């Protein structure tokens, strides 16, 4: 079965950095467009960063210049490097995978989420 396993969340001070990881198992990462979403208490889930199978990236305006999404197809892992973290970045971060080939093309898979807390 295909699974997404997230790691790297935790507590960090404002201005600090974290790197989130999302490993996919049961399938090859190269067939998936990937994204990181986040949801803070009382707010809707929003797309933070996305990367296509070809490596093109997009970011929500609030994280441009601070966050970087990348993929390592050989390790079946997607990363979100978060620098210059702000308290408003605090949220549960979710990994998302969208199938691009096969009968399930267009369907989304979700990880369980990892909590990021930015506080002094």
């Amino acid at each position: 079965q295909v699974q997404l396993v997230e790691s790297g969340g935790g507590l960090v001070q404002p201005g600090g950095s974290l790197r989130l990881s999302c490993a996919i198992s049961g399938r090859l990462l190269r067939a998936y467009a990937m994204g990181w979403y986040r949801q803070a208490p009382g707010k809707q889930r929003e797309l933070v960063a996305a990367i296509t199978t070809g490596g093109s990236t997009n970011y929500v305006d609030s994280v441009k210049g601070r966050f970087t999404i990348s993929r390592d197809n050989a390790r079946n892992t997607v990363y979100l490097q978060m620098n210059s973290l702000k308290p408003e970045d605090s949220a549960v971060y979710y990994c998302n995978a969208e199938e691009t080939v096969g009968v399930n093309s267009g369907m989304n898979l979700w990880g369980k989420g990892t909590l990021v807390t930015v506080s002094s």
Side-chain angles (χ1 to χ4, degrees):
Q1 289 81 279
V2 60
Q3 295 184 65
L4 301 177
V5 180
E6 300 150 324
S7 62
L11 175 65
V12 64
Q13 293 186 355
S17 298
L18 285 174
R19 188 177 74 161
L20 306 183
S21 299
C22 175
I24 187 171
S25 62
R27 297 290 189 277
L28 296 177
L29 180 66
R30 64 184 181 185
Y32 292 85
M34 303 296 295
W36 285 98
Y37 290 72
R38 68 185 180 188
Q39 187 167 24
K43 296 184 178 180
Q44 294 184 345
R45 186 175 299 186
E46 67 171 346
L47 176 64
V48 177
I51 185 166
T52 69
T53 57
S56 298
T57 60
N58 280 290
Y59 302 90
V60 67
D61 286 344
S62 60
V63 309
K64 288 181 178 178
R66 300 188 298 119
F67 290 11
T68 302
I69 187 172
S70 62
R71 63 191 298 152
D72 186 341
N73 289 339
R75 297 182 61 185
N76 288 331
T77 302
V78 173
Y79 304 95
L80 184 66
Q81 179 66 46
M82 305 185 295
N83 299 325
S84 301
L85 283 163
K86 305 174 181 179
E88 48 264 46
D89 294 318
S90 297
V92 177
Y93 284 72
Y94 297 90
C95 182
N96 173 265
E98 180 180 352
E99 295 194 38
T100 63
V101 298
V103 66
N104 293 322
S105 180
M107 296 188 66
N108 290 313
L109 303 172
W110 292 92
K112 294 182 178 180
T114 184
L115 177 63
V116 173
T117 302
V118 185
S119 176
S120 60

